[in-house]
Amino acid sequence: MNRVAVTGLGIVSPVGSDLEAFWSAVVGGRSGIVPLTIIPTGQLKVRLAAQVGDFDPRLHFDDKRLSVLDRFAQFAVVAARAAVRDAQLHFDAELALRTATIIGSGVGGQTTTDDSFRRLYADKVEKVHPMVIPRQMLNAATSQISIEFGLKGPAYAVATACASGSHAIGQAFHMIRAGIVPVAVAGGSEACLTVGTIKAWEALRVLSSDTCRPFARDRSGLVLGEGAAVVVLEAWEHAQSRGAQIHAEMVGFGMSADAADITAPSLDGAARAIAAALADARANPESVDYVNAHGTGTLLNDRTESAALHRVFGTFVRRLAVSSTKAVLGHGLGAAGALECVVTALALARQVIPPTANFTEADPECDLDVVPNEARPGPVELALSNSFAFGGLNAVLALKAVH
Amino acid sequence: MAVLDEVKAIIANQMKTPAEQLTPDTPLEGLGADSLDLIEIIYAIEEKFNIDIPFNANQQTSMPFSTIGQVAEAVDQLVAKPAS
């Protein structure tokens, strides 16, 4: 079995699309949650989100390319370019044939869908843009990245709602470990901040109208976000032989299904995914230093996730630092797990544990060290990144520091 | 139909319980209503009466009612000021 190196990180995020700006905001607890300005908010009750406010697609794509790119695919390609640049990887014809591309998304080209349906149903225009289908399809991000770099190996999209990014990266990790491919470009992308999508989330009654305060007693719900994160994963020898920088080693991936409620999380399902990631990494609970929590800031998630961590870690939960970076990044659905994988890799590379921002007071039902508001120096040797999706589909990644 | 009867009909439909068995004192929890039932009931009432019922599933304290009678009272008050 191959060891797997994380050699490239790329993001498009509500707190910047430059890795240093992103990390600085995450560590400083500077939230990207702002009043929505990228869409009309007249019909909305909830008017805040972690939007990517400074993204100008024309700086990244010419008109011809843009005509086939929904916002979620734009994010994905820009993040993939950054990750490949960060990895300093050149895809020659032989490597391109053996490189996998796996990108997760919860809802795909929602901006395109929303716009074209509004033309038909509200504006009563009889025609929609001819590229609506290739823009909105859930695999568009994967296909566009594959086309961008000429990657011709295994390629597909993963849809597991809020765990899509983690499932995509985990699948790529297993593929490299098993020797199927030496390199993979994997991650998640989401651009779900449309009027139609936000109305639907409002109807679920889980959105906060002020901000996201994961694990805090006075939490008021989740705040939607958007963005993308892409990582380059490589077989260890492949990375070493070309002298690549290695941010972290990916060592485990655990999956589970709740087979219970379509929206409410399950303690059992979450705990089984965490335990599966530890088993896959051949690691003991006492060796884990940090968990980047799913931590959405909803009552049900935060309490269930706390209980699951207690079940898996037992008394060792006391030495565990647990933070949710959704207070800064919002909940980017299919991008969330990928963005949080990047946060976790950086925590290991920089030996800094990012805080849970916006924290007020502890919820006795979430009895964890949530690293309130202030980042903390390591050591961080082994870390997990949790993702628990609507539909009861769970994915947990395990990453290890490289010295 | 009186507000109470409309509310009973909506809850009876959601919980698959005969409306005749529901009284103002019937607790929603006693009918086995979970959080998804509750938000579907609230949605049906909002549609029926064209009102907004403030409810955030993350703030237990904001749970606006526990019995069917309390639901009907809340609706009575909100009907006076229709949704914007």
Side-chain angles (χ1 to χ4, degrees):
Chain A
M1 292 210 302
N2 287 314
R3 288 174 70 191
V4 178
V6 181
T7 56
L9 305 172
I11 47 108
V12 172
S13 92
V15 290
S17 301
D18 165 78
L19 208 57
E20 293 310 318
F22 170 80
W23 179 242
S24 158
V26 166
V27 167
R30 290 193 300 280
S31 182
I33 295 169
V34 294
L36 265 166
T37 58
I38 59 170
I39 53 166
T41 56
Q43 289 176 280
L44 302 178
K45 289 198 184 76
V46 173
R47 297 176 178 184
L48 54 91
Q51 66 178 14
V52 177
D54 62 350
F55 185 82
D56 179 0
R58 291 180 189 284
L59 295 178
H60 302 282
F61 305 101
D62 63 26
D63 285 349
K64 186 170 163 53
R65 188 85 192 278
L66 268 183
S67 81
V68 292
L69 289 173
D70 182 87
R71 185 172 169 87
F72 100 105
Q74 295 168 18
F75 286 170
V77 172
V78 171
R81 285 176 182 168
V84 170
R85 203 182 313 125
D86 182 50
Q88 298 188 302
L89 191 58
H90 169 70
F91 295 104
D92 61 26
E94 193 272 335
L95 181 59
L97 281 172
R98 297 190 299 137
T99 297
T101 312
I102 310 174
I103 303 295
S105 183
V107 289
Q110 203 71 22
T111 305
T112 300
T113 306
D114 212 64
D115 284 348
S116 60
F117 286 4
R118 189 181 53 239
R119 284 172 62 85
L120 288 172
Y121 303 142
D123 304 343
K124 309 291 182 194
V125 176
E126 291 299 318
K127 290 193 167 96
V128 298
H129 192 276
M131 291 302 131
V132 165
I133 294 295
R135 276 186 204 161
Q136 73 185 172
M137 60 193 189
L138 203 90
N139 59 307
T142 300
S143 299
Q144 292 293 348
I145 290 171
S146 151
I147 291 165
E148 172 87 11
F149 298 103
L151 307 180
K152 296 176 178 170
Y156 53 89
V158 172
T160 51
C162 316
S164 304
S166 296
H167 272 107
I169 293 170
Q171 289 275 293
F173 159 67
H174 276 172
M175 215 178 260
I176 294 172
R177 195 174 64 175
I180 298 168
V181 291
V183 175
V185 176
S189 186
E190 204 77 82
C192 55
L193 301 178
T194 70
V195 173
T197 310
I198 295 175
K199 287 309 288 183
W201 279 93
E202 281 180 1
L204 263 176
R205 312 254 175 184
V206 295
L207 293 185
S208 169
S209 52
D210 56 359
T211 195
C212 177
R213 284 185 293 275
F215 301 114
R217 186 204 286 264
D218 61 347
R219 73 174 89 61
S220 52
L222 68 85
V223 175
L224 290 174
E226 61 171 352
V230 173
V231 300
V232 174
L233 301 181
E234 269 180 88
W236 198 264
E237 256 95 85
H238 191 276
Q240 276 199 324
S241 68
R242 66 181 190 90
Q245 61 164 352
I246 298 176
H247 295 289
E249 180 176 0
M250 194 158 287
V251 291
F253 174 43
M255 295 180 270
S256 74
D258 295 344
D261 195 272
I262 192 67
T263 58
S266 129
L267 195 175
D268 176 66
R272 282 187 290 109
I274 297 167
L278 287 176
D280 195 51
R282 294 183 163 74
N284 299 317
E286 58 266 38
S287 59
V288 179
D289 302 299
Y290 171 59
V291 176
N292 185 287
H294 190 54
T296 56
T298 65
L299 189 77
L300 271 177
N301 174 82
D302 292 0
R303 289 186 174 174
T304 306
E305 185 167 17
S306 301
L309 288 168
H310 276 269
R311 180 179 290 181
V312 175
F313 287 91
T315 56
F316 297 113
V317 83
R318 295 276 149 251
R319 63 175 298 280
L320 204 59
V322 180
S323 68
S324 167
T325 41
K326 285 189 173 73
V328 170
L329 302 172
H331 191 353
L333 308 182
L339 284 164
E340 291 158 13
C341 175
V342 170
V343 169
T344 306
L346 287 172
L348 293 161
R350 313 276 169 100
Q351 289 292 301
V352 173
I353 295 172
T356 301
N358 296 337
F359 194 76
T360 49
E361 55 174 321
D363 175 357
E365 301 287 321
C366 300
D367 184 18
L368 299 167
D369 171 7
V370 299
V371 197
N373 297 321
E374 298 284 334
R376 194 180 291 167
V380 202
E381 292 302 314
L382 184 62
L384 302 181
S385 178
N386 285 349
S387 297
F388 308 128
F390 267 8
L393 312 181
N394 311 305
V396 177
L397 297 166
L399 291 91
K400 198 174 148 203
V402 176
H403 298 287
Chain B
M1 203 191 286
V3 166
L4 179 63
D5 290 332
E6 297 270 20
V7 167
K8 274 191 202 170
I10 287 167
I11 293 172
N13 180 54
Q14 179 69 28
M15 301 313 298
K16 305 296 172 226
T17 302
E20 312 79 73
Q21 291 179 13
L22 304 179
T23 74
D25 296 328
T26 306
L28 288 173
E29 232 173 81
L31 295 171
D34 65 16
S35 62
L36 289 190
D37 291 320
L38 193 59
I39 63 176
E40 290 207 43
I41 289 166
I42 290 171
Y43 172 68
I45 292 172
E46 286 182 335
E47 287 283 285
K48 181 83 198 172
F49 295 99
N50 188 31
I51 54 175
D52 273 336
I53 300 175
F55 173 69
N56 179 332
N58 299 291
Q59 294 165 320
Q60 279 180 317
T61 49
S62 72
M63 184 82 81
F65 24 67
S66 57
T67 66
I68 288 176
Q70 285 171 350
V71 177
E73 271 172 42
V75 173
D76 262 333
Q77 285 170 18
L78 286 164
V79 168
K81 45 168 192 172
S84 51

